[in-house]
Each structure stands twice: as structure tokens, then as C-alpha cells.
Amino acid sequence: MTLPDLISVEDMCGPPERSGASISPDGTRIAYLAPWRSRLNVWVQDLDSGAEPRCVTADETRTVSRYEWTDDPRFLLYLQDDGGDENWHIHRVDLDDPQTPAVDLTPFPGAQVLGLERPAARPGTAIVQLNARTAAEFDLYELAIATGELTLLVENPGDVMGWLYAGDGQLFARTLTDEGDIALSRRDAVTGELVRVATFDGADYPLDIYPFEVTPDGTGAWIGSNRGTDRTRLVRVDLATGEETDVDAHPSFDLDTRSQVFPTLPSPLIRHRRTGELLGVRYLGEKQVIRALDPHFAEVLTNLEALSDGTLAAVSSDASRRRWVVSFTHDRDPGVTWLYDHATGESRMLFRPFPHLDPAAMAPMTPVTITARDGLTLPSYLTLPVGIEPSGLPMVLMVHGGPWTRDTWGFDRSVQLLANRGYAVLQVNFRGSAGFGKAHMQAAIGEFAGKMHDDLIDAVDWATAQGYADPERVAIFGGSYGGYATLVGVTCTPDRFAAAVEYVGVSNLANFMRTVPEHAKPGLINNWHRYVGDPADPAQEADMLARSPITRVEQIRTPLMVVQGANDVRVVQAESDNIVDSLRARGVDVEYLVFDDEGHMFVNPENLITMFRAADRFLAQHLGERDDSA
């Protein structure tokens, strides 16, 4: 068999040449992300004139990952934090005056913007939630994009998790009841009193209700609901009565809600750029499925999906819905971006983000189903190296974060790097993973370092029984919750893994909950408190410590690499420092990388390259180098 060439970490993990394109409202230009001075910045290019593209942002410190056009094509907005601290600020770029630096429209030190809604009925404005007054409370503002003027719409009384702006002075609030249920209430414009409209079972929504978007007429909201069902479907909530009316559902898939955790991913709702009307809905099973709810969009969708054998990722159109710019999710050829003209039927490829990567050399990602020891079905993905007999391979078990997220089909540079080195890669949607129904998710309650870990071991046993994996050469690799799971793996079952790499992982569940940002602590009731425990209760804290790797450090015999962002506000550096210090105090060698300019999600290219170069070397040392002798 012929092995593909060894791909360098720099080529695999370096920045894309272009990515994240979207079309301007007038359909004449695209914006996209591309490197400038070693950081991704926003560039703008005319679609028809042939003029050279120009860089319109100038961030030399940190990669830009989120931007959007406004309804006035003169202005672009982008969000940026400081070194990964997640204190997002909104910046405005004036495309008519390229010499003027970008303006920070929310210039409040330590403050964070949540949400960036641009109501169709209020052109030139954005609705934002901002905690400039106090860190734990988000107030609601209207932002005039052209002038930067912020107008306070309502001050948080202290218990509001999130605001909903329905136009014409209509404001709605989401709060938590004492039992942890989610209350939707209308704010009386005269008295300021919150009048209950609807209540949702908090146990069904560990990360809050999503999506939650106001309909264009302001009388309802589209939400992801699983009331009375196992699966999450789209319903309309009447903002006057709280009554739910079904809008759309897939017979076997949940709504694709990944953008709730990863806001650079597309929303599950595809909406008309100008009017806000609903055009289509995304669902996610083994792969994504889009259901069109608008006849015109149904025609467009058929033609768009014919452009690739991947699934449709980002979608943008001009205000007239004639010109469309779209990209595709694909396991071997990611992010290919096209321009499509619905009036003429013509299309052309605009770019491939990674033109130096040959799709034929990439490894296919195959959906597989694994059955846990108690009978629970675990939807999973197996990636086998190209050109190598898939038998007795060294394997890396990649564990996703959250845990209320999920693994999905598509291109993952870390997975492809490992497959290129000759490793099989297994990704498991263990119990607790979102997107497979309430029962699958709630099977994780009380099972941290219990059945959730058993699921991972059962998956390793499956890969071994199928003949894919050599049981003596299995590594575990994960970040965030996946980092916690990695540490559980080397403390609870240390003899099962030949190596372990964890980044930004939790080592002490109680300390983790105590150190999350203040504004996030009320929301813990429906996720971490419900699934693991409340550290304020001594008995529950004792159980949490028993499930925490920090109390089982003496069991670690597996070679371990730990990676941490110094500015991480979700999993603070102490979580990694403590596990590393405890190991080193015992004379155990552990590799430890700390990046001073990163937070929970690493984005700067040189840091990603450094991290994966170290992991590449570490895994080769303990699992073996790729054998090219064949």
C-alpha cells in the first residue's frame, strides 16, 4: 500500500489562506479572513472588478475569528477579546475610510458583550447585552453603529440570565426559578415588573434554551424545544400567551445547536438577511441535514448542495437573495467556498482554505455505532490512516469537550495530523453528549468518572475487538471536559493508555465550579450542579473530590502531557498547575506547556503549531513512529 507523504505540523495546523467568507448586502463584495502579520484579519474583495483585496482590520496581537456585515455595506463589525479572556468587545470598521483605525464600540475594561442582534425594523442599530456596570449582571443596550452611541434599554435587576428584544419597547427576560426551571417573562414598560409568560423544565436545557430568536413581527420567538419529546425540534412560542406551536422537526435528528457553544459555526436557523424570515433549519445526525421552509430557498438549496459532496456550512446572500456565498463541511476538503448566482444559475469556486493539502491524502472520517456495556448506543466516528492496513494500529482516543457538545463529521486538523502519522483516531459521543436526545444526555447525571468513562473504555475495547487497534498502543487526548476525561483515564484506568495529552482540563471539580466567572455561576444549576453536584454542600463536594483526578494522582503511571492557556477564565490555570505540581512532587516527569496569550480556545497559529508539534513528538515517543518501510 502507498502511504501519503508525511505532512508537517506547520502545513496541517497553520492558518488558512482564506476562510469564513460572506457576501455584502449589495452583493458586490465579499469579506473573509486571511493572514496579516501572522494573524487572521478581515479582508474585503470586489467580486466583479478584479481589484486587489485589501485588509480592513489590523490586529497584530490576536487572530480575528468573528465578524459580520451590517445592513449598511459601509460598515463591518468584528468581535475581539484580550488574549483569550473572553471579554468580547465590538469593533467597527469604516470601509469608506480605510485609513481610520477600527473603533471599539464597547470600550469598557473587563466588560463582555453577549449577543449581537440587528433587528430588521431598526436598521443601523444592534441590540447587545453588556456587563459594563457590574461583572455579574448583563444590561440591555441599543447600539447606533454609525455613531457608537449606546442607549440603555433596561438595567438587569440582578437575576436575569438573558434578555430578548421584540421591538417597539417590548422586552422579555429569562430567569431561573428556585427549582432551576427557566422562566420567560415580559417586562412591564411602566412598572418594570416581570410578568411570567412561560416556564420550561431546566433539566431539559443544561446550556439554556437554544436557539431563542424573535420572529420578524415581534409577536413570537423561535426556540429549540424538547417539551414532551426526546428530540429537539423548532417551535414558535407566542410571547403573549407562552403557547408553543410546532414549526419544523426532523423525524430522527436534533436541531444542530453547535453554534451555542462555538459561535463561529452557523446558526441552526437560516434567515432572510433583510426581513429576518425563516428560510431553512439545520439538523444534525451522522451528518447535517437542512430542511427548507421557503419555496425560493428550496430551489436555491438544491443548486447549492449540488456544488459539493460535503454538507452546507456558512451561507450568506445579498439582500435580494440573488447572489450567494457558501462554504462546505467535508472530512477531506474543508471549507471550499463558492459563489452562486440564482438568476443565471452560474457558480464558481472562490477558494480552498488549505490549497496545499491534497484531499486524496486525507483520511476519510467514518460514522460507526458502538454499544456500551449497559446497552446505550454511542454514535462515534473512526478515522483510519490512508495507505496502511487497518489492523493492530496505534490508536488515539479523542475526547470532546463540554461535555454537552458532540463530535461531528467533518475536517479536524488534529485528527488528520494523527491519521497522517499512522494512528487510528476514535471519537465517541459518550453519554452526556448533546444532539442525540434528552435520554442520551441525561444518562450522564451522576456519571462523571463513572459510566461516562466506561463508555470511553468500551469504545477502546470495541476498536480492539474489531482488530483496528493494538491494545498496548492506545493514547487518550482531550481538551476542556475532554481534558478532565483524559485525567480520569490515567487515574482510574492507568494501564489502559500508553500516553495521554490533555489541555485546559479540569482536575478538581469543586475548584472548577468555584472559579468560573461570576456571571456564569447561576447557570451551573442545570449543568454542573445537576450532573455532578454543588460544592457548597459538603457531602456533594466529598463525592466530587472522589471523582476528581487531583485526589487520585498517585495512580498516574501513564506518560502525560498537559497544556494550558494562562488567560483561561473557564478552566483556570490552577487546574493544570495543581495536577502538574502534584506529579512533580512525586518525582513523576510530566510535560507542561503554558501559553501566556491564550485562553480556553487556542487561536494564534504559532501556539497551535507549538502545541501540536509537541504532541506529535510525545505520541511518537510512546506509540511509535510511522513505519514507512512498506
Side-chain angles (χ1 to χ4, degrees), residues 266-294:
S267 166
L269 306 186
I270 302 173
R271 301 181 63 173
H272 191 295
R273 180 176 207 150
R274 179 170 47 81
T275 68
E277 293 294 339
L278 190 60
L279 305 180
V281 185
R282 300 175 189 265
Y283 297 88
L284 193 60
E286 289 182 348
K287 296 181 181 180
Q288 177 195 255
V289 171
I290 295 177
R291 290 167 59 95
L293 304 184
D294 170 85

Side-chain angles (χ1 to χ4, degrees), residues 400-415:
H400 71 67
W404 304 280
T405 58
R406 57 161 287 172
D407 284 314
T408 60
W409 181 84
F411 189 85
D412 183 319
R413 290 190 285 174
S414 59
V415 170

